[in-house]
Structure formats: C-alpha cells, structure tokens
Amino acid sequence: MSMKCNILLFILILFAFNLHAEDGHNLWLRGKSSGSVNIVCAKSSSTLDIAKQELVQGWQGQNGAKFTLKIKKDKAIKSDGFILSENEVQANTELGILYGVYELLRRQQTGQTIQNEICNPSYGCRVLNHWDNLDGTVERGYAGHSIFWHDGEKGYAVNDNDRKLWKEYARANASIGINGSVLNNVNSSKLMLTKQCLEKVKAVAELLRPYGIKTYLSVKLSSPSLIGGLKTSDPLNPEVIKWWKDKVKEIYKIIPDFGGFLIKANSEGEPGPQDFGRSHADGANMLADAVKPFGGIIMWRAFVYEANSKDRACQAYKEFMPLDGQFRDNVIIQVKNGPVDFQPREPFTPLFGALKRTSVMPELQITQEYLGHSIQLVYLANMWEEFLKSETYQEGIGSTVARITDGSIFPQKYTAIAGVANIGLDTNWCGHQFAQSNWYAFGRLAWNNQLTSEKIADEWLKLTFSQKKEKSANLNASDWLKNFLAPVKRLMLESRDATVNYSMPLGLHHIFAGLNNTHYGPGPWFSPKGIRIDWTSAYYHKADSFGIGFDRTTKGSGAVSQYHEPLSSQFENPATCPEIYLLWFLHLPWDYKMKDGRILWNELCYTYDKGVNEVRQFQKTWDKVQPYVDAQRFSEVQCKLRLQCHDAQVWKDGCLLYFQQFSKRPIPFDIERPVYDLDYLMKTDLTDMLK
Ligand code: GCW
C-alpha cells in the first residue's frame, strides 16, 4: 500500500472509532459532562468551588438534575468521609464534600450504582513519598525529572508551568483520596531546611492546599550541625532540641498546615540517633515534641539493615521490637511491605502486628524499582492486595495487615499509608501509560484497603481508555467491554505474577543486576570486588551444588521466629511453606519434590519459561485491542511490551544458565532453549542493550 493510502486508512480508522490521539497527560480524569447539573450549596470556599467546578465539568447523571453539597456533622462520617446518594453528598468537612464529588463522578463515569452509602477512609494520612532530589533528579524515578525541583540557579524560582502542573497533580491526587505529599527524597539534602527551600515548599503547599493535600518533608537528623552551626545533632542535647523547635516554628509560620517530617535514620549511610548512642525512639520523640503543638506527625522509617549481618531480613524487627511502647503518639513507624526491599514478591514484614503499642504504617513502592522500571507493564495492585490481606495472626484470625494498620485492631491516634511515587515530568506522568494505574491503585487502596485489585483495574481502565460512545449509559451493552475491557483487565491482573515468574519465582529475591546501581534485569551472579556481602546476589539465593534458597528456619537465620504462630511453623516446614515463598524461607535440594510432582530444578525452569510466555501472550492481547485504543497510547504500549518480552527472555536465560552451573541438570527438553549465552549476559548491562 502506498504511503498516501496508509495515511488515509489511518484517518478513516480514527474517524470510525472516534479515537482522538491522546498522550496520557489527562490520566483517569478524561470524563466530560453529558448534560447540565443544578448545584445547591450554601457555602463557598476554594475547596467547595473546586467541587462545584468538577461537577459541572464531569456530570454524567440526569440532564438538569439537582445535586446538593451539604456540610452537616454526622457521627457515622469519619474524618473526611462522606455520605453519597444520587442527589446529594453530605460530609463533616469541605474536603469530605470534594471526595464525595469525585466518588460520584467516578461512579457515573464507570457505570456503577449510587445508593445511599457511607464512605470513610481506611487511613487518616494517605501519603505519596517523592524520592525527588533538589537538583531535579529522582531516585528510582523512571518518568523524567522532578515536578517540584529544578537544577541550577533558577531552581528555586516558581513559574506558571510549575503552578499549572502542581495543580494538575493535586487534582489527580485528590480525585483518588491522597491527602499528603512528601516533597523530597528520604536520602535528603541538608539544604532542605534552608530558607530558600522552605519558600519553595510554601509555594507548592499553596497550590496543593485547596485540594486537601498537606506537604511533608524528609530531613536529615544531622541538620542542626550541618546547617545550624551546632557542634552536635544529639537528639537529647538541649541546644539541638531548641534548634528543632525553632525550625519547626519557622516552618509553620509560612506553611500553617505543614504535615510533619519523614525520617530515614541510621540506614544506608543516613545520619541518625544511633550516631550519638541514642535510640530510634529518642530521635523520633524529640522531633515529635517539636511538631506536636502544631498538630504535626513524624513518620519514622524502619528500613534498617547492617552490613555483614547474617540475615538482613531480621534487622528491623530486632531494632524496633525492644522500643515498642516508647514512641510518642504522633510518631508512626513506616515499614516497607516486605522485610528486604520492595522485591517482586516478599512475605510481609513481621513488625506488622508484632508492634502492639506503637503506631505503624505500611510503605509501598509505586515506582517500579525492581519490577521493570517504566519499561514493563506491571500492575501492582495484586501485590498490595496480597500484602494487605496477609494474616499476621497477632490478635487471632482476621488480624490482617490491613486491619492491623488501619486502627481496627490497635487504637492508633494517627493511621497512615505511604507510596513511593512514580511521577515525573514525562507527559504521561509515569513513563508507561499503564504505570498510571499503580498511582491510581495506591490512592484507591489508601482510601479503602478492602478494595480488590480487580475492581480497581476495572475502574481505571474504564476511566482511562473508554471512548466517548462507551461512556454513556449503554456502557454495559458495548462490545468494548468484551473486546477491550475483559482481555486488558486480565492482562493487568496477570502481569505481576508474570514478572515474578520470569524474574524471581518461588521466593527468590534480590538477584537483579546491580551494575551501575540500575536494578534492572537479571544478576544472580552480581558480586563485584569489595562490595558488601548483603549487596551481592549470592547472599540471597545461596545456590550451591546441594540446592538453592535462603535458610531462614530456626536452624538457619531464625527469621521464621519473628512471625506469629501458625506462620512460623508453617514457614519452617517445606511441606507447609507456601510455594510462592519456598526459597525465601528454605534452602532446598535441586531434586526436592514440589507439590505438582516436579523436582525443584524443573519447576524453576518451567516457571521462568511460563513467565516469558505470559508476556508474549500480553503482546498478542494488546495487538488485538488496537481498534479500541487511540494511536499514540496504543503504539507506546506496544513498543514497551516488545522490550518487556525481550527482557523477560534475558531474565529466564540468565537465571537458568547461571543456576544450571550448580544444579548440573538439563533444562527440560519440552521448553524453549535459552537463546543467549551466559558469558554474554554476565558482561552485559541490560540498560545499555535497551538504548
Ligand atoms: O532499595 C533502596 C533503594 C534506594 C532507596 C532505599 C530506601 C531512597 O535502592 O534507592 O533510597 O531503598 O528505601 O531508603
């Protein structure tokens, strides 16, 4: 076909399906009103005005209907919750009204029913953590530079583009219930608390405020000596205490609704109270006292591990359990979902539920550091659902991580959940069109930790990809549901397990490429000279001629003992340990018999191969939905799936060929042979291959 014909065909296709080119910048907020609405609201304020404007812009209810925004206290409504009915949203606060309006519009636009219903948030603080550096780079960011910080002299100036973007950012967050943003990296700069930086934070806070989003900062505990001219930063030193009190006063003077601090202390080289012989509680409480008069909180991270320890997974529990009950009520210990570090699959961190007299909040990673950056399509809500639904057994059956952390079981003055953001200056915000679903899912789960990943995917796809004609009331009758929604939703729901299968199956973890600190692609061999042993891969997989896996039983590192019964006995025993965690807790022989009758080595081979095939299937699925997707987003996702296919193959070949040196067994002959050489892969930096 000639070029001309091609172009004509393209235009015809666009016309036929009403598919306007889209770049993804509008996220899930594409809904346009289908008629007018008559809003009744007694008050006016910046937040209520936003609510009204959103209603006008997105209303898809009955044309000309009356809709009331009512602020009226009701005991059944908690914090910023609301009661929603077809003609009214009632809330205790203005923010509750705004959340109610977003919920209403979401339901209208996704064809969900609206009945008289109370919607209360699971967590009080629903916070994004931006690992943004003041020079504009983003640690573990794969979507361009920071939306808050820019490099160079003009870095502190604020321009109209900034303001526009921050407003869009605030709106997107509010629409899914996020109400806090930590604006800078936990590996924080000492400059964060200088006047210049705080002025910039003030400017951001002003844009976020009407949308109900509080600003928080990560700060260095050594700030008093680094920028305050003090000789020490010992948290028990009176001058240090005074320095922080003064600094906090200065902050609240310019940002009256400032949320508080997020602290990474005595972790990966960051300063902390232990530098002065003090405990985490000493450090956290000192800051908590400083922010308390202003209603601020301290989120203190439990991501700690020591070089050369026998098992890094045990460290947080060891350091924090002895401090249970010693923290102020405005301190919340922020704990990563897994005990090592955001791996594709980990069991939950045993601190959840074990800390009974201390507030605890989960930290999830939205940015895909270990799950394919912004190259791979991985929907993370399944992982978070699995984590939140994990039984800790700490207070009997039903003590899931969700209920342990949301105040249902332990009375916490503050409840919170954090997600490490995947947002940058890329037009589509997240690097991959589908990575937006993870931002969306985090917000939705933070609001309601009982939602299923299936429901969230369904909503997100309808909001993000449906075309005009499907958005009307006959959405359910459309073939779009059958030919786009169903297959793509299935793809999303299978994507996380596929990634686990082709990268770190059966409980394997931390075997990624460490070269240049990329954390992309396989690296079970990773062990450069002079590196800490707990940064090498062999520390985690422990492959040898006998078998593979980390022995965390009572005969090994003893990590199983940090879990409540019946989990500790379950994990200790290969017959009862869930196979998804097998090599996390046990070192087993290559010929260990799996439940399906295969030996462990063969199971590994089949699982890696399955992962690769799953991604190939994703490619086919996506290609088939082309008629339902606008050209730009279709081809962007298509290109990325191609890369993902390639990289999944590299994972499979690299891991199987490497482990085969120990297992000394053939790769079962009915699965596809490796297409790469191990030598080649060991020398290759996958991120170079991608360029
Ligand atoms: O896994 C590590 C990441 C670091 C990160 C650290 C943390 C911000 O590789 O980049 O530092 O976790 O969570 O503090």
Side-chain angles (χ1 to χ4, degrees):
M1 226 185 321
S2 75
M3 181 79 162
K4 246 189 189 164
C5 283
N6 268 334
I7 293 171
L8 198 66
L9 191 68
F10 180 59
I11 292 170
L12 273 175
I13 289 173
L14 273 188
F15 185 74
F17 291 98
N18 195 12
L19 304 183
H20 299 290
E22 292 199 48
D23 57 18
H25 190 72
N26 292 335
L27 297 161
W28 48 87
L29 294 159
R30 300 156 62 248
K32 296 261 177 333
S33 71
S34 59
S36 68
V37 56
N38 193 353
I39 303 166
V40 181
C41 180
K43 271 181 77 183
S44 174
S45 74
S46 49
T47 300
L48 289 173
D49 291 349
I50 293 170
K52 291 176 208 165
Q53 197 189 342
E54 292 286 8
L55 272 177
V56 171
Q57 273 175 21
W59 178 260
Q60 291 188 7
Q62 215 185 359
N63 188 19
K66 183 173 122 182
F67 193 82
T68 309
L69 308 179
K70 183 158 85 189
I71 301 186
K72 186 171 163 228
K73 297 254 184 274
D74 187 315
K75 276 204 192 108
I77 306 175
K78 307 277 176 246
S79 66
D80 292 322
F82 52 86
I83 303 177
L84 184 64
S85 62
E86 220 176 316
N87 304 312
E88 183 181 281
V89 54
Q90 179 190 338
N92 294 342
T93 63
E94 291 182 4
L95 204 51
I97 296 285
L98 183 62
Y99 291 141
V101 164
Y102 282 125
E103 179 66 26
L104 171 89
L105 295 177
R106 177 166 38 246
R107 292 199 186 190
Q108 287 183 343
Q109 291 166 16
T110 56
Q112 297 180 57
T113 53
I114 301 162
Q115 283 153 355
N116 222 5
E117 211 178 300
I118 302 173
C119 303
N120 288 321
S122 298
Y123 299 96
C125 310
R126 305 170 295 275
V127 195
L128 285 183
N129 289 185
H130 289 267
W131 286 357
D132 294 16
N133 299 312
L134 301 191
D135 66 0
T137 56
V138 180
E139 183 155 350
R140 311 302 174 196
Y142 313 106
H145 272 60
S146 168
I147 60 167
F148 300 117
W149 307 99
H150 313 301
D151 199 12
E153 274 295 287
K154 292 194 187 131
Y156 293 111
V158 177
N159 59 42
D160 284 348
N161 278 345
D162 291 328
R163 286 194 199 91
K164 181 169 172 278
L165 203 64
W166 297 341
K167 197 171 160 192
E168 289 170 349
Y169 162 86
R171 177 179 179 230
N173 278 332
S175 76
I176 48 175
I178 289 171
N179 67 354
S181 300
V182 184
L183 300 184
N184 66 314
N185 193 352
V186 286
N187 294 327
S188 82
S189 161
K190 64 176 183 186
L191 299 178
M192 194 58 248
L193 287 173
T194 56
K195 197 163 182 306
Q196 247 184 338
C197 269
L198 292 176
E199 281 301 324
K200 176 109 190 221
V201 176
K202 175 178 183 250
V204 178
E206 273 159 16
L207 268 296
L208 305 196
R209 187 168 298 124
Y211 287 91
I213 296 160
K214 283 190 178 183
T215 43
Y216 298 76
L217 294 176
S218 288
V219 291
K220 275 205 180 329
L221 208 78
S222 53
S223 298
S225 38
L226 287 175
I227 59 162
L230 300 192
K231 286 204 184 69
T232 178
S233 292
D234 177 352
L236 298 192
N237 177 295
E239 276 183 71
V240 171
I241 296 173
K242 180 169 183 315
W243 187 89
W244 279 108
K245 284 202 164 139
D246 291 345
K247 186 49 84 180
V248 164
K249 250 187 232 153
E250 180 191 332
I251 297 175
Y252 276 95
K253 207 166 167 196
I254 59 170
I255 310 160
D257 58 347
F258 181 67
F261 296 127
L262 167 64
I263 311 287
K264 174 175 178 179
N266 292 118
S267 161
E268 297 186 333
E270 288 302 308
Q274 293 172 351
D275 304 345
F276 309 95
R278 313 297 185 193
S279 72
H280 288 291
D282 294 329
N285 291 343
M286 182 272 294
L287 291 177
D289 291 341
V291 297
K292 176 118 185 168
F294 306 95
I297 61 168
I298 302 300
M299 296 173 284
W300 190 273
R301 293 175 94 223
F303 178 62
V304 291
Y305 60 104
E306 258 172 18
N308 306 321
S309 75
K310 200 168 144 204
D311 183 4
R312 163 177 170 180
C314 295
Q315 189 73 22
Y317 188 97
K318 275 194 197 147
E319 277 187 39
F320 281 85
M321 281 307 285
L323 301 175
D324 193 15
Q326 293 183 25
F327 293 94
R328 300 278 192 270
D329 65 4
N330 59 334
V331 174
I332 312 187
I333 306 303
Q334 183 167 314
V335 184
K336 288 189 182 182
N337 59 291
V340 167
D341 187 11
F342 295 139
Q343 297 302 291
R345 175 167 269 133
E346 299 190 41
F348 70 88
T349 301
L351 274 178
F352 290 107
L355 283 173
K356 296 184 194 303
R357 290 171 299 135
T358 302
S359 302
V360 175
M361 63 186 279
E363 177 179 324
L364 309 173
Q365 194 179 41
I366 310 170
T367 190
Q368 293 165 239
E369 175 177 2
Y370 302 104
L371 287 112
H373 296 191
S374 55
I375 295 163
Q376 304 188 6
L377 192 168
V378 188
Y379 175 56
L380 300 174
N382 303 53
M383 175 160 79
W384 301 333
E385 186 183 355
E386 179 178 296
F387 159 70
L388 289 165
K389 289 192 173 149
S390 295
E391 276 287 359
T392 70
Y393 294 101
Q394 287 288 347
E395 301 293 311
I397 291 177
S399 315
T400 58
V401 172
R403 297 189 70 240
I404 284 283
T405 51
D406 68 9
S408 311
I409 293 185
F410 301 128
Q412 301 193 179
K413 178 152 184 216
Y414 296 93
T415 56
I417 187 165
V420 180
N422 60 352
I423 296 161
L425 280 177
D426 276 8
T427 306
N428 69 19
W429 300 88
C430 302
H432 193 304
Q433 299 290 352
F434 276 77
Q436 296 178 356
S437 67
N438 295 326
W439 176 7
Y440 182 85
F442 169 76
R444 297 289 288 128
L445 280 170
W447 181 272
N448 180 356
N449 63 14
Q450 301 300 316
L451 287 180
T452 64
S453 40
E454 198 269 339
K455 165 151 168 65
I456 299 171
D458 192 274
E459 268 180 18
W460 179 78
L461 281 168
K462 284 176 177 164
L463 296 169
T464 308
F465 281 103
S466 67
Q467 303 302 327
K468 263 200 194 116
K469 61 192 167 108
E470 279 83 27
K471 288 216 185 141
S472 57
N474 73 4
L475 181 80
N476 290 324
S478 157
D479 76 334
W480 184 88
L481 285 178
K482 187 162 144 257
N483 296 325
F484 178 85
L485 184 70
V488 179
K489 186 161 65 179
R490 201 174 325 115
L491 186 167
M492 286 175 77
L493 293 173
E494 288 170 359
S495 61
R496 183 272 186 137
D497 264 330
T499 303
V500 171
N501 290 342
Y502 64 69
S503 65
M504 306 187 214
L506 303 179
L508 286 175
H509 53 286
H510 212 292
I511 58 168
F512 47 82
L515 224 55
N516 306 324
N517 201 13
T518 52
H519 297 182
Y520 190 87
W525 48 80
F526 181 68
S527 179
K529 271 211 182 86
I531 198 177
R532 283 168 59 155
I533 55 155
D534 58 345
W535 286 347
T536 67
S537 296
Y539 176 92
Y540 300 93
H541 63 64
K542 302 214 188 300
D544 55 23
S545 58
F546 171 83
I548 183 168
F550 199 129
D551 183 357
R552 293 192 164 106
T553 66
T554 45
K555 292 190 202 74
S557 79
V560 291
S561 315
Q562 296 182 342
Y563 290 90
H564 199 282
E565 286 293 9
L567 292 179
S568 47
S569 304
Q570 225 176 63
F571 294 154
E572 169 93 4
N573 179 352
T576 52
C577 181
E579 288 191 344
I580 52 170
Y581 301 136
L582 204 60
L583 304 179
W584 182 283
F585 286 113
L586 298 145
H587 186 75
L588 294 172
W590 293 110
D591 62 358
Y592 172 78
K593 265 273 177 62
M594 301 291 291
K595 295 207 171 81
D596 62 8
R598 287 180 186 144
I599 61 164
L600 174 58
W601 165 251
N602 285 356
E603 185 74 12
L604 263 187
C605 294
Y606 282 109
T607 311
Y608 272 105
D609 191 57
K610 182 173 175 219
V612 173
N613 287 328
E614 283 169 316
V615 185
R616 291 196 180 136
Q617 188 54 48
F618 297 164
Q619 274 192 306
K620 290 181 200 154
T621 301
W622 187 252
D623 278 351
K624 214 170 152 190
V625 300
Q626 181 166 16
Y628 300 92
V629 189
D630 53 284
Q632 181 173 342
R633 292 190 298 173
F634 175 78
S635 68
E636 278 181 29
V637 173
Q638 187 187 47
C639 288
K640 295 211 165 186
L641 279 170
R642 217 174 275 157
L643 291 173
Q644 185 171 352
C645 236
H646 168 268
D647 297 349
Q649 176 88 53
V650 170
W651 263 106
K652 169 191 157 188
D653 291 5
C655 292
L656 290 184
L657 291 171
Y658 175 80
F659 291 135
Q660 194 178 31
Q661 301 176 115
F662 302 95
S663 80
K664 303 216 180 315
R665 287 164 194 272
I667 292 172
F669 293 102
D670 55 337
I671 67 172
E672 193 180 74
R673 315 290 76 210
V675 296
Y676 292 101
D677 280 340
L678 181 60
D679 276 356
Y680 168 74
L681 292 176
M682 284 174 70
K683 282 188 226 119
T684 306
D685 180 344
L686 197 53
T687 49
D688 282 342
M689 282 167 82
L690 293 170
K691 280 172 201 156

